[in-house]
Amino acid sequence: MKYYCNPINVPYRYQFNMDPRSHGKLQIDREAADPSMILFQGKYYIFASMNLSVWVSEDMVNWEAYRLPDNLPLYDYAPDVRVCGDYVYFCASKKGEICNYYRTKDILNGPYEEIPGTFDFWDPNLFFDDDGRVYFYWGCSNVTPVWGVELEPSTMRPKTERIELLSGDVYERGYERMGVDNCEFPRSEEEVEMMFQGFVKQSGVPVEQLPAQYVPQIRGMFTRRPFIEGPWMDKHNGKYYLQYACPGAEYNVYADGVYVSDFPLGPFELAKNNPYSYHPGGFMPGAGHGSTMRDKEDNIWHTSTMRISVNHQFERRVGIWPAGFDADGELFCNQNYGDWPIAVCDGKNDPWREPEWYLLSYAKPAGCSSRVEGKGADRAVNEDSKTWWRADSTESGQWLEVDLEKPMDVRAIQINFADDELPIASPGEIQGTATQPRYIEERDLRTRWKLEGSLDGKEYFMIEDKSAVTTDLPHDLIVREEGIQVRFVRLTIVEIPYDVAPCISGLRVFGIGTGERPKTPVFKVARSDDRLDLLATIDGTADAVGYNILWGHEEEKLYHSYQIYRDVADVQKKKDAVIEKRIGALVKSQEYFVRVDAYNENGITKGQVIKL
């Protein structure tokens, strides 16, 4: 068996962002987003925004990065990649300028033949139907819809007028609302106008001098209307599944919804299972703007964007989850415990396979060699990628340690490096678009460390030694499938990019506990008056580490989930405490069923299904 753990373990490149909204402050972060994943000539490829590279795998677990040719628009967002026969087609986003297409028979070596485009677009998606016809979808805005058009296969020129296919409606679809846990409704026109005028006054540039094409975008910043973006088309049993992302990449609720039609250009009807890709909780949330792919064994996988958004709004990573179509043709994605280790089998996978290993490190005692005030070792065991331990020294040899409190059967350890306002200048010339200027790090950097274990905190043995590697993997996963007995897990940092003080957002230890699973959860659920929110009240018990709230439109189709952890102090004190959780992702016209499961180091206990 092979395992991976989200976010996937690849070399995410640093971005040096000179965002116009930052008033001249350079913002530095790693970014990868908007992944297009394909199977081509027996290998898997992921193209992601702002990485200059393509990631390649033979098994969906181990990925290697290869530099792409410079004639591709590597500084343009949302690269779209699709296979058609012997060719792979590539395009990317650029508003205000005509976007070209490219194709190749050799992804790594090229050449990439350029096919002149005829219009500009953002968040593109090509779809090659099985009858030889070609369709194109695009859209990324909280002002305009997702469009579609048929293309001439030989020239890639439009054969039809563009058609409006779908738009947002936050009063019907709660999951399209912006904000943490979908909490924000749009502002009134009066509020938007007032904020827009305030922006104009502060900028010192009269409205008539602003570039006309940017004025709707600027106004859109203040509307709190959702971004409807990132389309991706699939066909299954004669039906067309138009997927889209919403409401915004910086939110924990970044999701992918889906519409269905009998025709590639509609009319489309909202699927019952929405949003089908939704991962708002856990260590690193977000599951929007992605792609869906069949592997060599006809298993279906969905890859999409995960969110950090601390050092920069678009500080993001990439996740992969098992997906599929059920017997009724409904597209689903399994994001239960979606950033715990996921098993990949040879042959057919069960997309609803339960986790084999459980989190052992949550709220456990943690120590370190040094720390910055407010960023102690406890930040590495709180299951929150937006916080981290930061050493108070750049000297090699800084260490972080987790005490599991007793010897445990450890099967996997994920090491998540973070960045904290890096005090460095851009190593290259800022380029890209006027609205999103940046420099992408060209050099191959190194992240080196040693991972040791101990039963008594005195005698240590080596678990993994990467003190001499030439790779840069900020979310590395170490697997010991047969298990090792460990109480203390110590990470010693040898070298990281730019020789700054090391930061770890998660030293996450997984395995199998020897105790009892938690009690069957007792909970109540209600629905808000506007029918867009699920309101859960859980009698949290001391034997549970956390809860997974599941819901769906049928009792046997609880396809959505929100994983929550109990308060750190309550877990440490073994204290019972009531938990109240609001989930704002319901569709107003849809009926729902709900279940709450409890979990701890020893396993998962399923609750009873209740009709909402």
Side-chain angles (χ1 to χ4, degrees):
M1 195 83 72
K2 294 183 179 181
Y3 300 85
Y4 72 92
C5 189
N6 289 318
I8 62 171
N9 189 24
V10 292
Y12 297 87
R13 289 187 180 270
Y14 280 95
Q15 320 292 308
F16 294 80
N17 299 281
M18 192 55 73
D19 192 316
R21 295 169 294 181
S22 68
H23 306 291
K25 179 183 177 182
L26 186 66
Q27 297 173 300
I28 306 170
D29 68 298
R30 294 180 188 258
E31 179 185 4
D34 322 317
S36 288
M37 182 167 64
I38 59 170
L39 170 62
F40 182 62
Q41 296 179 350
K43 293 184 179 181
Y44 305 104
Y45 297 85
I46 295 178
F47 293 74
S49 292
M50 303 300 149
N51 267 261
L52 308 181
S53 307
V54 59
W55 305 327
V56 187
S57 176
E58 295 186 358
D59 58 9
M60 293 287 294
V61 171
N62 300 292
W63 297 87
E64 293 187 12
Y66 291 87
R67 185 70 158 81
L68 286 166
D70 287 331
N71 72 310
L72 295 178
L74 302 178
Y75 272 73
D76 292 353
Y77 263 111
D80 175 63
V81 184
R82 298 302 287 255
V83 177
C84 182
D86 293 333
Y87 283 99
V88 168
Y89 284 75
F90 178 103
C91 61
S93 313
K94 184 170 287 187
K95 285 181 181 174
E97 295 184 30
I98 290 177
C99 301
N100 296 326
Y101 307 92
Y102 304 80
R103 70 175 189 174
T104 185
K105 293 184 176 181
D106 187 337
I107 291 176
L108 301 187
N109 302 304
Y112 282 77
E113 172 192 354
E114 184 174 311
I115 304 171
T118 57
F119 62 101
D120 69 326
F121 48 74
W122 201 273
D123 285 8
N125 180 236
L126 273 169
F127 174 67
F128 296 93
D129 207 346
D130 46 25
D131 61 2
R133 299 173 76 173
V134 181
Y135 300 90
F136 186 72
Y137 308 89
W138 75 101
C140 175
S141 174
N142 60 358
V143 178
T144 55
V146 166
W147 286 291
V149 69
E150 185 178 355
L151 300 181
E152 169 58 48
S154 60
T155 65
M156 305 297 282
R157 293 176 176 271
K159 290 180 65 175
T160 62
E161 294 294 324
R162 65 176 63 183
I163 300 171
E164 293 189 10
L165 301 179
L166 61 96
S167 298
D169 183 355
V170 300
Y171 299 101
E172 172 64 24
R173 298 182 284 277
Y175 67 86
E176 291 183 348
R177 288 176 292 178
M178 300 184 89
V180 176
D181 289 345
N182 307 109
C183 65
E184 297 178 351
F185 283 99
R187 291 188 175 100
S188 67
E189 290 298 326
E190 292 77 14
E191 290 176 298
V192 172
E193 179 62 22
M194 182 176 65
M195 297 182 75
F196 174 71
Q197 293 300 333
F199 170 85
V200 171
K201 183 177 179 180
Q202 184 181 26
S203 70
V205 180
V207 174
E208 57 271 14
Q209 292 184 18
L210 292 173
Q213 69 269 30
Y214 293 144
V215 170
Q217 297 178 49
I218 296 171
R219 285 185 179 274
M221 293 191 306
F222 307 116
T223 64
R224 287 204 309 216
R225 294 186 180 278
F227 277 78
I228 303 300
E229 57 188 37
W232 182 272
M233 174 63 80
D234 282 304
K235 188 176 184 180
H236 175 73
N237 288 347
K239 297 280 188 179
Y240 296 87
Y241 294 76
L242 179 58
Q243 300 145 64
Y244 73 103
C246 64
E250 67 270 36
Y251 300 115
N252 69 312
V253 290
Y254 198 35
D256 283 336
V258 59
Y259 282 74
V260 184
S261 177
D262 292 324
F263 307 99
L265 292 176
F268 286 92
E269 180 179 350
L270 187 74
K272 291 182 180 179
N273 180 43
N274 262 298
Y276 85 94
S277 175
Y278 189 70
H279 178 60
F283 169 69
M284 186 178 293
H289 196 150
S291 56
T292 307
M293 181 202 73
R294 292 182 185 270
D295 69 13
K296 288 178 277 191
E297 304 294 340
D298 208 36
N299 300 299
I300 298 175
W301 301 89
H302 184 67
T303 178
S304 51
T305 308
M306 305 182 80
R307 177 229 70 181
I308 300 174
S309 297
V310 175
N311 293 289
H312 185 262
Q313 178 184 8
F314 292 153
E315 184 178 16
R316 299 175 290 177
R317 302 293 190 264
V318 170
I320 301 174
W321 293 274
F325 294 92
D326 69 16
D328 298 317
E330 293 196 62
L331 178 61
F332 64 80
C333 188
N334 179 12
Q335 277 132 351
N336 292 329
Y337 311 98
D339 47 35
W340 289 11
I342 296 172
V344 179
C345 310
D346 292 331
K348 287 297 290 183
N349 276 273
D350 175 7
W352 293 106
R353 185 188 187 103
E354 295 278 347
E356 299 177 9
W357 306 329
Y358 311 103
L359 184 68
L360 308 179
S361 50
Y362 181 69
K364 292 298 174 65
C368 55
S369 55
S370 67
R371 64 182 177 87
V372 169
E373 185 66 30
K375 297 179 180 179
D378 60 307
R379 299 297 185 93
V381 291
N382 65 354
E383 285 298 290
D384 184 356
S385 62
K386 292 172 73 70
T387 68
W388 45 76
W389 161 71
R390 176 176 171 173
D392 193 20
S393 172
T394 61
E395 184 179 353
S396 178
Q398 299 296 306
W399 57 266
L400 173 71
E401 183 173 83
V402 178
D403 177 5
L404 301 177
E405 299 186 302
K406 61 182 179 181
M408 302 286 277
D409 180 1
V410 170
R411 303 299 179 97
I413 302 168
Q414 189 191 42
I415 303 167
N416 296 274
F417 284 83
D419 299 299
D420 193 359
E421 295 187 343
L422 300 184
I424 57 177
S426 176
E429 180 183 355
I430 301 292
Q431 50 186 291
T433 65
T435 56
Q436 294 173 322
R438 73 187 62 218
Y439 173 75
I440 304 173
E441 176 62 82
E442 294 269 357
R443 296 169 295 178
D444 293 327
L445 306 175
R446 296 187 303 223
T447 296
R448 294 173 164 178
W449 45 262
K450 293 187 296 183
L451 189 66
E452 299 170 287
S454 174
L455 293 172
D456 59 7
K458 298 176 182 178
E459 298 292 329
Y460 285 79
F461 59 91
M462 190 66 67
I463 298 175
E464 187 81 8
D465 186 350
K466 289 201 171 185
S467 59
V469 298
T470 58
T471 55
D472 175 29
L473 299 172
H475 301 284
D476 219 337
L477 179 69
I478 307 306
V479 175
R480 295 292 181 266
E481 188 172 359
E482 300 303 318
I484 55 175
Q485 286 292 307
V486 182
R487 172 176 171 175
F488 297 90
V489 176
R490 175 174 287 196
L491 172 70
T492 302
I493 292 96
V494 176
E495 178 185 350
I496 62 171
Y498 310 121
D499 298 318
V500 296
C503 301
I504 300 292
S505 61
L507 183 54
R508 311 174 70 217
V509 184
F510 298 89
I512 304 172
T514 57
E516 298 294 323
R517 299 184 181 194
K519 302 181 185 72
T520 302
V522 175
F523 66 96
K524 298 177 182 178
V525 291
R527 195 165 186 171
S528 61
D529 291 340
D530 62 12
R531 295 179 55 81
L532 299 177
D533 298 344
L534 186 164
L535 309 170
T537 302
I538 305 168
D539 292 342
T541 56
D543 61 350
V545 167
Y547 296 91
N548 196 35
I549 304 169
L550 304 99
W551 69 98
H553 61 279
E554 292 184 21
E555 190 170 356
E556 301 301 321
K557 295 185 179 185
L558 305 182
Y559 292 160
H560 315 290
S561 63
Y562 196 135
Q563 182 184 358
I564 58 175
Y565 289 88
R566 297 207 313 125
D567 181 78
V568 168
D570 291 340
V571 171
Q572 292 173 338
K573 295 176 182 177
K574 297 179 171 53
K575 174 184 173 183
D576 294 347
V578 173
I579 299 169
E580 294 185 343
K581 185 63 187 176
R582 171 193 162 276
I583 298 173
L586 305 187
V587 177
K588 186 174 183 177
S589 58
Q590 189 70 263
E591 299 299 325
Y592 289 98
F593 294 83
V594 183
R595 190 182 83 214
V596 176
D597 297 345
Y599 62 88
N600 62 15
E601 299 172 346
N602 312 304
I604 299 166
T605 302
K606 294 182 179 180
Q608 183 180 4
V609 179
I610 296 176
K611 191 174 190 302
L612 184 61

